[in-house]
Amino acid sequence: MGVTSALGLWQLGRASQKQALQDQIQQRSQLTVWTERDLFEAADPQAGLHRSVHLAGEWVTRADIFLDNRQMDGRVGFFLVTPLRLAGSDRVILVQRGWVPRDFTDRSRVPAVETPEGVIRIQGRLAPAPGKLFELGDAGTGPIRQNIDVAALSQETGLSLLNLSVLQTDDVKDGLQRSWPSITAGVQKHHGYAFQWFGLCALAGILYVWFQFLSPRRKRTPDGTDAR
């Protein structure tokens, strides 16, 4: 009982930490929108994670990457990631532009996506670098990849990449879907774990009372001797 109750309390503590993180994410999403100038001037651009951004720059389409095995609305396809060279600087940030279905008859074929040339403006929110999926062996090269290593990609392309990305959210008619999931810290998961541990604690207590007190009494005869 002591172990299971301690584990339940630990999960409640983890839930409190995740709730604080969730509150921080929510607060950042409501702060003033950042522009490329704010990214340049920030001592640590990571401090702007989950903040809304309006950025101007040029797409670096030679470094397009189609992240494989990504899902959106229950369908499997690619996330298209294109570096954006920020206006007035040589700094570049990866933009997760959206999801596009893949051609399952030719797995090496990348879909055609309309990408404008020249200076463009996008809206989105700052996010960590694209999440990684399990893969066997080293990260691949070429336009279709399972994961992105920002440092390795920066060296490969010669681009000065920031170690974060942008989830593009504006409604651009380019054939990409942008039904990005809401950001959650997983508070409910820890509450569920805590409920399970406290349930086991209660069960252990009930079994203890039954086998130590109630069951022996039921087995005794009226004169107080053991029926066995």
Side-chain angles (χ1 to χ4, degrees):
M1 290 178 66
V3 171
T4 52
S5 62
L7 287 171
L9 292 172
W10 175 67
Q11 287 293 341
L12 288 180
R14 291 286 294 153
S16 297
Q17 295 173 6
K18 291 296 183 69
Q19 185 61 57
L21 176 60
Q22 184 71 51
D23 293 342
Q24 183 185 58
I25 291 173
Q26 185 65 26
Q27 290 169 3
R28 285 188 176 183
S29 67
Q30 297 174 355
L31 294 175
T32 306
V33 175
W34 267 13
T35 66
E36 62 276 5
R37 183 177 297 276
D38 295 296
L39 279 175
F40 302 153
E41 297 176 352
D44 180 12
Q46 294 281 341
L49 281 176
H50 311 299
R51 195 164 184 156
S52 296
V53 291
H54 291 175
L55 303 177
E58 295 184 66
W59 295 119
V60 185
T61 54
R62 65 178 175 83
D64 275 349
I65 292 178
F66 291 84
L67 289 178
D68 202 1
N69 296 315
R70 269 28 182 209
Q71 292 191 20
M72 186 167 287
D73 295 335
R75 301 173 63 194
V76 178
F78 297 114
F79 281 173
L80 173 57
V81 180
T82 304
L84 180 72
R85 180 177 285 108
L86 298 172
S89 171
D90 62 349
R91 304 302 300 274
V92 181
I93 191 168
L94 296 176
V95 179
Q96 300 185 57
R97 296 174 57 188
W99 178 91
V100 64
R102 71 171 308 155
D103 184 351
F104 287 98
T105 62
D106 183 0
R107 298 182 64 86
S108 64
R109 179 177 176 272
V110 296
V113 178
E114 183 178 347
T115 303
E117 298 181 354
V119 177
I120 53 93
R121 295 185 178 276
I122 66 166
Q123 299 177 20
R125 67 173 184 263
L126 289 177
K132 293 186 177 182
L133 302 180
F134 176 78
E135 68 177 332
L136 297 173
D138 298 330
T141 58
I144 298 178
R145 306 188 188 189
Q146 188 77 357
N147 296 304
I148 291 177
D149 183 299
V150 175
L153 182 63
S154 181
Q155 184 174 9
E156 174 189 340
T157 60
L159 300 173
S160 180
L161 292 172
L162 295 171
N163 191 28
L164 68 170
S165 70
V166 174
L167 288 177
Q168 188 176 0
T169 58
D170 49 344
D171 186 18
V172 181
K173 306 302 181 184
D174 53 11
L176 296 168
Q177 295 184 32
R178 300 183 180 88
S179 302
W180 305 112
S182 300
I183 303 174
T184 60
V187 177
Q188 293 80 5
K189 176 182 67 176
H190 292 288
H191 283 154
Y193 290 156
F195 177 80
Q196 293 175 6
W197 286 120
F198 287 135
L200 288 174
C201 179
L203 177 61
I206 291 170
L207 291 176
Y208 176 80
V209 171
W210 173 259
F211 286 109
Q212 293 297 319
F213 300 103
L214 300 181
S215 183
R217 289 183 180 180
R218 290 167 58 89
K219 294 179 181 178
R220 290 180 185 146
T221 62
D223 61 0
T225 59
D226 196 326
R228 295 175 294 178

